[in-house]
Amino acid sequence: MSTSPGAGDAPASGGAPASGGAPASGGAPVSGGAPGSDGVGKGGQGVERRAERDAVGRPRRGGRGRSREELMVPEAEFRSYYNRPIVKAPVWKHDIAVYLFTGGVAAGSALLGAGGDLTGRPALRRAGRLAALGAVGASTYFLIADLGRPARFHHMLRVAKPTSPMSMGTWILSAFGGAAGVAAAAEIAPALLPDRGPLGLLRRAMPVTGRASGLAAAVAAPALATYTAVLLADTATPSWHEAYPELPFVFGGSALASGAAVGLIAAPVEQNRPAARLAVAGAVLEQVAAHRVEHGMGLLSEPYRQGRSGRLLRLSRVLTIAGAAGAVLGRRSRVISALSGAALLAASAATRFGIFDGGVASAKDPKYTVIPQRARLAAREAASGTSAAGGIAVTGGAVLGDPGTGATAPGAVDPDGYTGSGGEPGSEAAGDVSR
């Protein structure tokens, strides 16, 4: 006698047999026939699967078996429409990273030159002024190269927009460059101008003019050193934007260290003690802020620890510590001082390239946009008492981030909790950024 599928061997809950192969209701455990065995049809397999789902999470009594929950849904896949990045990655090339580096060198050198002038160290003053002019010239060149045409730099000077970091940066660069140029000319002119005549009068006026210009450049130096950090943080690039409280300190410390490096390389040991102190101060400031960028932003710190960016920032850390230590311990040695300066310059360049590459990497991976945005949304909804929407998972009901700052707590977001329901993953989150 033939047996209908699911009958007899697979009684459903409530005593009602699952006949005709239809899945049994109630999700009751199934006894008898193994899944896929003879006499258990499609409906019986559905009952088996449901029974297996009911068993997930239950501890097994002794014996060997599953000790962990099975993942019953596929891993969340972070993707966007047509596999395009949610946030458009910056089109900047590495000449912008060089521009960031040379701008920091110019700012630090101007401060060093002003300090050497005020403390009566002519070699330190001369090195700082000349390095500031050369670095700001290189910085201007790379900025114009990125703009494409020199006329665009001129067009930027036609307006002054306080809310635009690019507009303000153009004006800061121009003002600093003029002052640094006059200060550097004051170092060169006495060797070229005659003692008599109108040019002789100009020659005698150069020391006073040079001091005033050098001090003016030093006043503008902090803005030159840090406005590029504001420029990066003002974009939608996730890891740049999230690092807005720390990036100015990273760039400022890097600028101080690179300026000190110029003094350690160019000035004799009798005059380079202020450079050694500046190197230590810049190294401490840079490394403390960089550590917060690499470890204090939760998921958005990850790009700074991985790949090329991670390697560059680790190299920067090693070189910075070595350079600062050499500047202090080997300040009586001309060779060690010069090597320390070279290490600090290389560290500053590695920092700028590492920060640049980390931001670009975060823009290319949709998860760095989707997860933090959903965490912030969940935090706002948790604070307002409304339920999470769009498949947002709140681990253990904990607040995932700071609603005020948008900072995401490390490890607060469980990617497995992201169900992907409520539409295309990232589509809702992408809207407020891409728009």
Side-chain angles (χ1 to χ4, degrees), residues 210-230:
R211 167 166 288 191
S213 299
L215 294 177
V219 170
L224 180 68
T226 56
Y227 94 88
T228 48
V230 180

Side-chain angles (χ1 to χ4, degrees), residues 106-118 128-129 132 172 175-181 183 210-225 256 278:
S109 300
L111 290 172
L112 182 79
D117 186 22
L118 295 176
R129 288 180 177 181
I172 291 170
F176 178 89
R211 167 166 288 191
S213 299
L215 294 177
V219 170
L224 180 68
L256 292 178
L278 191 64

